[in-house]
Amino acid sequence: MKRIGVLTSGGDSPGMNAAIRAVVRKAIYHDVEVYGIYYGYSGLINNHIEKMEVGDVGDIIHRGGTMLYTARCEEFKTKEGQQQAIENLNKAGIDGLVVVGGDGSFHGAEALTSLGYPTIGVPGTIDNDVPGTDFTIGFDTALNTVINAIDKIRDTATSHERTYVIEVMGRDAGDLALWSGLADGAETIMIPEQPQETEDIVERLLRGHRRGKKHSIIIVAEGVGSGVDVAREIQDETGLETRVTVLGHIQRGGSPTAFDRVLASRLASRAVELLLEGESGKMVGLVNNQVVHKPIQTALEEKHKIDQNMYKLSQELSI
Ligand code: ADP
């Protein structure tokens, strides 16, 4: 393998830049040329490909977003789009590809692999919803962004003795809600993996109120539904003044935490090694603090799960 490519795809996440840096530096360390593909799979189809040098990834390890930009590309879901992508890669003499993204991007990587093109996936998404790794790149940063926001909301919630509903991202996964809820002592955590009856939530809130709690924080994962609807329902049912904050895209941005920078560096470097070892169709992940790899296919077939013990703990600690 003389030349490899790297792209970021789907939703961006903090730490993607650290992953790009690691791919570029690791490849050059092994005397392999690296090409950056801009705007995810669109760049493969439109031939937006540029050679990268050591200096091109200087001063990006601490920056959020992705210097290669990202995109969603419907055309790449078609056989024609995928074949065009491989034709462009072959024309550029690029022998293998590292794809940094979430499970949608992994479907794309699997498609390239099944057409015979060597591809390795690196999990990058704030949602932490990729099976096969304990953590995805960007999750820890997003989690810290969420708890910083909740800490601030808590101050005003206490002053006004209000109930606050906070909607966090995570698509169909509840990890951001669960972890931030545990980290911030939320009274209730609503996640798609663990449906709850509204009356149980109401009972819990009223019990706390009777005990003299000054405020309540309810974290709602977007996969459960709209925080606005939840807040309205809770106010109607409890009679407690309830406000809602939808944290939105601030969760995607910001300088990556040390954890995400280190995770990105470890996983992306391993992805390069795997390509050089002749592997394809694999994803890298962190399991029990060890860098591992497994077929992308198994990650796509498995269903994301939350840690049930953590959920139980969050319930026990918020009585
Ligand atoms: P994420 O990677 O964050 O989950 P998306 O689900 O939007 O983001 O996927 C990113 C891109 O991956 C899509 O826009 C598309 O180009 C590609 N992709 C997604 N699903 C498939 C698929 N089944 N086959 C081929 N490419 C896909």
Side-chain angles (χ1 to χ4, degrees), residues 9-11 41 71-74 76-77 82 101-105 107-108 111 171:
S9 163
Y41 292 119
R72 296 202 154 95
C73 174
E74 284 303 310
F76 190 73
K77 291 185 179 169
Q82 292 157 14
D103 65 339
S105 304
H107 275 106
R171 289 211 286 197

Side-chain angles (χ1 to χ4, degrees), residues 20-287:
I20 296 166
R21 173 182 178 272
V23 169
V24 170
R25 298 264 167 108
K26 183 79 174 183
I28 293 173
Y29 176 83
H30 286 291
D31 292 323
V32 171
E33 290 182 5
V34 201
Y35 285 73
I37 292 111
Y38 288 78
Y39 299 100
Y41 292 119
S42 307
L44 282 183
I45 293 174
N46 304 327
N47 231 342
H48 199 151
I49 302 174
E50 282 171 35
K51 187 158 189 244
M52 298 181 83
E53 306 291 352
V54 173
D56 293 330
V57 290
D59 209 22
I60 65 164
I61 195 166
H62 63 301
R63 293 188 200 281
T66 159
M67 68 165 291
L68 291 176
Y69 305 101
T70 179
R72 296 202 154 95
C73 174
E74 284 303 310
E75 203 184 338
F76 190 73
K77 291 185 179 169
T78 66
K79 268 268 144 27
E80 296 72 39
Q82 292 157 14
Q83 271 151 358
Q84 179 67 55
I86 292 177
E87 202 179 305
N88 288 340
L89 283 162
N90 287 337
K91 254 192 265 162
I94 299 171
D95 308 311
L97 184 67
V98 175
V99 170
V100 186
D103 65 339
S105 304
F106 276 20
H107 275 106
E110 180 60 21
L112 288 175
T113 302
S114 64
L115 291 172
Y117 192 85
T119 310
I120 304 288
V122 176
T125 162
I126 65 163
D127 303 338
N128 210 38
D129 61 349
V130 180
T133 185
D134 294 345
F135 297 105
T136 56
I137 298 164
F139 172 68
D140 185 63
T141 307
L143 175 61
N144 278 280
T145 301
V146 171
I147 64 159
N148 285 332
I150 297 175
D151 285 348
K152 294 187 171 79
I153 290 168
R154 181 180 282 282
D155 289 344
T156 172
T158 311
S159 305
H160 287 277
E161 304 198 6
R162 277 178 186 147
T163 300
Y164 263 88
V165 169
I166 298 159
E167 182 191 310
V168 304
M169 282 184 162
R171 289 211 286 197
D172 299 327
D175 285 53
L176 255 186
L178 176 57
W179 281 69
S180 58
L182 195 52
D184 229 308
E187 273 65 31
T188 300
I189 300 169
M190 295 171 68
I191 54 176
E193 296 90 342
Q194 201 73 43
Q196 297 178 68
E197 296 296 333
T198 309
E199 59 194 50
D200 292 341
I201 297 170
V202 167
E203 170 51 27
R204 202 179 176 82
L205 290 173
L206 290 176
R207 204 170 52 224
H209 192 68
R210 283 194 295 269
R211 251 194 319 115
K213 272 199 181 186
K214 293 280 181 230
H215 64 258
S216 295
I217 303 271
I218 301 161
I219 302 191
V220 180
E222 65 179 343
V224 167
S226 151
V228 175
D229 293 343
V230 169
R232 194 176 301 125
E233 204 176 347
I234 284 176
Q235 176 157 304
D236 289 348
E237 298 286 325
T238 61
L240 301 173
E241 190 182 358
T242 306
R243 296 293 166 93
V244 59
T245 301
V246 178
L247 291 180
H249 282 83
I250 63 163
Q251 295 163 93
R252 285 265 193 86
S255 176
T257 58
F259 181 86
D260 274 331
R261 297 179 203 189
V262 172
L263 179 68
S265 303
R266 292 174 77 188
L267 296 188
S269 305
R270 185 69 189 122
V272 173
E273 283 174 1
L274 288 170
L275 277 180
L276 301 187
E277 288 164 15
E279 294 277 4
S280 177
K282 301 289 189 307
M283 67 164 282
V284 288
L286 191 76
V287 176

